[in-house]
């Protein structure tokens, strides 16, 4: 499998400043629907660590780098970026992932 055979997949790690977990969660949830509607988006799902409330993981998949770059320039993402310093305890960490196993087909 080469890189052209699979989407660009990443995991964003976002840790809230003390007292900002609710605001961060709300800001991240506001990204979901508009991002899922973007051309080239395949997956955009938010998780919160059950053992560390206020630490969020956004699983993202885009068709290619251009789709990710377009996402980062959207109005909804820029609105989030403007709030980041106020909400995040540390800079957003973005980890890119390469698939090792095959894709799981959805159940009928």
């Amino acid at each position: 499998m080469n890189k052209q055979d699979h989407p660009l997949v990443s995991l964003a790690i976002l840790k809230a400043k003390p007292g900002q977990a609710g605001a961060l969660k709300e800001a991240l949830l506001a990204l979901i629907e508009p991002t899922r509607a973007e051309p080239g988006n395949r997956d955009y799902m938010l998780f919160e660590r059950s053992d560390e409330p206020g630490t969020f993981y956004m699983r993202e998949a885009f068709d290619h780098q251009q789709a990710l770059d377009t996402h980062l320039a959207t109005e909804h993402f820029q609105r989030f970026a403007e709030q980041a310093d106020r909400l995040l305890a540390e800079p957003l960490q973005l980890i890119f992932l390469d698939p090792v196993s095959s894709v799981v087909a959805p159940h009928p």
Side-chain angles (χ1 to χ4, degrees):
M1 181 184 312
N2 64 42
K3 289 192 181 274
Q4 290 80 24
D5 294 336
H6 59 83
L8 186 64
V9 177
S10 61
L11 190 63
I13 303 171
L14 306 106
K15 295 183 180 192
K17 283 185 176 176
Q20 294 297 322
L24 177 57
K25 183 177 185 176
E26 185 177 313
L28 292 170
L29 286 170
L31 291 172
I32 303 293
E33 292 309 315
T35 301
R36 287 179 178 171
E38 293 173 23
N41 177 260
R42 293 192 185 190
D43 182 41
Y44 205 72
M45 187 165 175
L46 181 63
F47 300 86
E48 184 174 13
R49 281 187 64 161
S50 54
D51 65 337
E52 194 176 306
T55 297
F56 298 92
Y57 292 81
M58 186 74 80
R59 186 182 68 206
E60 309 172 356
F62 291 89
D63 284 341
H64 40 67
Q65 184 65 49
Q66 183 179 354
L68 174 59
D69 292 344
T70 298
H71 164 66
L72 296 175
T74 61
E75 184 179 327
H76 52 270
F77 187 82
Q78 288 301 308
R79 203 168 27 248
F80 172 77
E82 290 170 3
Q83 304 173 64
D85 285 344
R86 178 175 59 82
L87 299 174
L88 297 175
E90 56 192 55
L92 176 152
Q93 184 179 5
L94 190 59
I95 301 167
F96 288 93
L97 305 168
D98 290 324
V100 176
S101 66
S102 61
V103 177
V104 176
H107 293 284

